[in-house]
Amino acid sequence: AQSVTQLDSQVPVFEEAPVELRCNYSSSVSVYLFWYVQYPNQGLQLLLKYLSGSTLVESINGFEAEFNKSQTSFHLRKPSVHISDTAEYFCAVSGKTSYDKVIFGPGTSLSVIP
Amino acid sequence: DVKVTQSSRYLVKRTGEKVFLECVQDMDHENMFWYRQDPGLGLRLIYFSYDVKMKEKGDIPEGYSVSREKKERFSLILESASTNQTSMYLCASGVQKVQPQHFGDGTRLSIL
């Protein structure tokens, strides 16, 4: 079974500053990793995912995450945040078989301050 | 634009009532999911369905049932609502089994 830890429940950051949202996972098997974003009063959207290959994955809106197998981490970063990035961010993990469910972390609330 | 539609954004019911939450997707996805979202707990899977009339229990199925009579529609049923079922409920669909891709906007359910 897999589990996900997001150490920071809330992250306030000033506009145009860099941000890192931390995610660590636990698993005895190889995994897929995901970041989802939930804007206020909306459902979740898949932001980016790591399935295989390059350990650095990017989203279309400037976020990136790096899979670090030795540290079992998949931290999300953005070099310069905008007000519109204010949202809840969920890290998630699953095993690689068709029977492995996606397990979500508790979420990190990112607040961008003008 | 792909869409997962949940019938209600907000719902208030009384304890003991039978509650139906409806979800419709327009992407012809085989797989549909129901989650509940609680602060500090993230999303927890209640049930999912990988085909019409097929269903599997997720991590917290107690007190819930589901119905999938048509491919596009997946209903969550609270047989006898209790106050500890007050929560945000999210429906999702996806191409891959057990991997949600597209979510609805959620139903915030309050049981009084």
Side-chain angles (χ1 to χ4, degrees), chain A residues 43-58:
Chain A
L44 276 71
Q45 302 173 33
L46 182 63
L47 187 60
L48 47 76
K49 60 184 177 183
Y50 169 77
L51 302 181
S52 65
S54 173
T55 57
L56 185 67
V57 290
E58 298 178 352

Side-chain angles (χ1 to χ4, degrees), chain A residues 32 34 36 38 41-44 90 94 98-102 104-106, chain B residues 9 35 37 40-43 45 48 59 90 97-100 103-105:
Chain A
Y32 297 140
F34 310 85
Y36 289 83
Q38 184 179 33
N41 298 314
Q42 294 185 25
L44 276 71
F90 294 93
S94 76
S98 61
Y99 299 96
D100 287 308
K101 296 190 288 287
V102 175
F104 288 84
Chain B
R9 291 300 304 271
Y35 291 88
Q37 180 182 7
L41 297 178
L43 275 69
L45 182 64
F48 69 98
D59 300 316
L90 293 169
K97 190 178 179 183
V98 305
Q99 290 188 6
F103 283 80
D105 287 341

Side-chain angles (χ1 to χ4, degrees), chain B residues 22-41:
Chain B
E22 306 287 347
C23 174
V24 177
Q25 52 103 357
D26 64 1
M27 293 159 283
D28 203 36
H29 285 161
E30 300 286 343
N31 306 289
M32 296 187 74
F33 312 83
W34 275 106
Y35 291 88
R36 66 177 281 175
Q37 180 182 7
D38 299 288
L41 297 178

